[in-house]
Amino acid sequence: MSASFSTFATSVKAETAFNVLAVAKGLIAHGKNVIELEIGDSPFDTPSNIVEAGINALRSGQTHYGPSLGIPDFRAAAAQYVNEEYGLSVAAENVVAGPGAKNFEQLFCEAFLNPGDGVLVFSPHFPTYGPNIERRGARPVLAALKHSHDFRPELADVERFLAEDPKPKAIFLNSPHNPTGGITLLEDLEGLANLVRGKDVAVFSDEPYDRMVWDGKHHSLLAQPDMLDQCVAGYTFSKSFSMSGWRLGFAVSNVKTTEMLGKLTNSCLSCVPPFTQIAGAEGLRNARAERDRQMAEFGKKVKLLVDALNKLDEVSCLMPGGSFYVFPAVAPICNRLGITSHGLAMYLLEGADDATGVACLGGECFGDAGAGFLRLSCAEPDDRLLEAVSFIASASQNADRVNAYLETHAEYRLASPYELD
Ligand SMILES: Cc1ncc(COP(=O)(O)O)c(C=O)c1O
């Protein structure tokens, strides 16, 4: 007999994108033409000078443990990068290396949360926030991001949380936002900083899409007065530098918090592999032109996909302010067909056609507030993006095929119609 798992482990729901990815890969292996818009990964290669720097580091013996906070040159390069890009004035000692940005959700929660603490999360939200908050016995407190407010966080929700929650301790912020593509504007950041300043409240500012802002520029909460003391901002190489498989990111905060995050890194990871940090430092210093070229390509794809989706009846899609996701409202289709939005996504992949499918996610994979939407990433060639939109248009007219799919997938039947915006 094997030992029973903890209540926490049993309750964890992993990112659905990885499950859909596995289904899509299985269908592709059996010869299906699947247009893959499910996973938030870059279709571009890691810039070649970064790859060379990583290989050279391995060849020159960088194959051992390094400091838990990160190697000094990486920390210095990251500090210089955020200073130049976001007008901060931080130093190497304000930076801690991590294996991507996701790990900092966990470390932030370990650093600041006690059981019973309240954590404000704007929803729909990145699915791993909940498990990382709950891992500490703390409570996610959800506030809906509204289509009608361009999916921007509303300060009234922050005020209410601070005034009414029995133990308000932290806020999760994510801009550009996954899954909606919404942007937290400078005025929102100023307002948020004014509300939390001087209180015993910490903010995790999740900024993986910092280089994918399509109109204007990215702003970090860290640039607001005093926020270095109350904010941990997480950055990653996964998206901007097309390095998701290298597992590299970093967090920026005040020295005390940075050292705490280093201690917590020590307790679970020991360190991030030095050769990846050497490669990352090369990217921060010498691959920004290639990064910008790739990001501009993404920007064009986002616009192409949004424009095509908006030509469909029953679909309306905001132009995202940032990120490579588009988040069309498909509630009228779901209501007509009696299928949930994730059911629609799975039907497009598995049920709509034997030879072709589109892989994407229902908005409810990011919390109930996402129901009635689809999340599509733009990491396919342009002609495939357009093919996906035509496929969605025709597949959503085939009620017989939807009904047949629902016969074997009753969990996707829509219990009551979605509200229309
Ligand atoms: C909002 C958000 N946070 C964190 C991550 C994690 O990125 P990584 O761990 O690859 O840096 C992602 C990746 O999709 C994301 O969308």
Side-chain angles (χ1 to χ4, degrees), residues 62-79:
Q62 296 286 344
T63 52
H64 295 272
Y65 292 128
S68 297
L69 280 159
I71 57 176
D73 188 59
F74 173 78
R75 298 174 73 200

Side-chain angles (χ1 to χ4, degrees), residues 254-267:
N254 69 9
V255 174
K256 195 169 142 202
T257 303
T258 302
E259 283 178 2
M260 176 58 80
L261 295 173
K263 184 173 83 170
L264 295 169
T265 299
N266 179 290
S267 74

Side-chain angles (χ1 to χ4, degrees), residues 331-332 335 371-373 416-421:
N335 290 351
F373 294 83
S416 53
Y418 293 131
E419 272 180 35
L420 300 178
D421 241 3

Side-chain angles (χ1 to χ4, degrees), residues 288-306:
R288 288 194 226 181
E290 177 60 6
R291 173 202 69 184
D292 291 344
R293 196 193 60 71
Q294 293 181 350
M295 296 305 107
E297 283 282 304
F298 261 136
K300 284 191 218 142
K301 285 179 184 299
V302 168
K303 186 163 183 330
L304 181 88
L305 187 54
V306 171

Side-chain angles (χ1 to χ4, degrees), residues 15 18 39-41 98-105 125-129 173-179 204 206-209 234-239 243-245 247-250 324-325 366 375:
E15 257 193 86
F18 285 87
I39 195 94
D41 203 353
K102 191 187 259 181
N103 183 60
F104 289 115
E105 296 164 24
H125 58 281
F126 191 55
T128 54
Y129 293 166
L173 195 66
N174 169 215
S175 178
H177 185 255
N178 177 8
F204 182 66
D206 196 12
E207 304 178 25
Y209 304 96
Y235 299 93
T236 182
F237 290 74
S238 297
K239 318 289 173 175
M243 290 176 71
S244 57
R247 308 309 302 137
L248 184 63
F250 59 92
F324 53 48
Y325 305 114
F366 303 86
R375 191 199 76 169

Side-chain angles (χ1 to χ4, degrees), residues 212-393:
M212 298 183 193
V213 173
W214 308 129
D215 188 15
K217 62 194 281 276
H218 176 69
H219 296 285
S220 173
L221 184 69
L222 282 179
Q224 294 299 311
D226 306 325
M227 285 302 105
L228 193 61
D229 286 334
Q230 283 181 251
C231 171
V232 173
Y235 299 93
T236 182
F237 290 74
S238 297
K239 318 289 173 175
S240 326
F241 291 99
S242 302
M243 290 176 71
S244 57
W246 293 72
R247 308 309 302 137
L248 184 63
F250 59 92
V252 180
S253 191
N254 69 9
V255 174
K256 195 169 142 202
T257 303
T258 302
E259 283 178 2
M260 176 58 80
L261 295 173
K263 184 173 83 170
L264 295 169
T265 299
N266 179 290
S267 74
C268 56
L269 288 178
S270 292
C271 66
V272 176
F275 77 92
T276 64
Q277 296 180 60
I278 290 168
E282 168 66 16
L284 294 175
R285 294 195 174 110
N286 300 317
R288 288 194 226 181
E290 177 60 6
R291 173 202 69 184
D292 291 344
R293 196 193 60 71
Q294 293 181 350
M295 296 305 107
E297 283 282 304
F298 261 136
K300 284 191 218 142
K301 285 179 184 299
V302 168
K303 186 163 183 330
L304 181 88
L305 187 54
V306 171
D307 288 346
L309 284 165
N310 276 328
K311 291 196 180 109
L312 303 187
D313 289 341
E314 303 180 297
V315 175
S316 76
C317 188
L318 287 179
M319 176 65 199
S323 84
F324 53 48
Y325 305 114
V326 305
F327 201 62
V330 293
I333 298 178
C334 295
N335 290 351
R336 175 171 54 78
L337 295 171
I339 192 167
T340 62
S341 36
H342 192 56
L344 178 64
M346 294 310 290
Y347 159 74
L348 293 170
L349 175 60
E350 300 178 306
D353 189 81
D354 296 338
T356 300
V358 169
C360 60
L361 301 174
E364 63 269 47
C365 301
F366 303 86
D368 292 348
F373 294 83
L374 292 178
R375 191 199 76 169
L376 313 173
S377 91
C378 292
E380 282 265 18
D382 292 357
D383 56 334
R384 303 271 287 166
L385 295 177
L386 295 177
E387 188 187 342
V389 176
S390 308
F391 185 84
I392 293 171

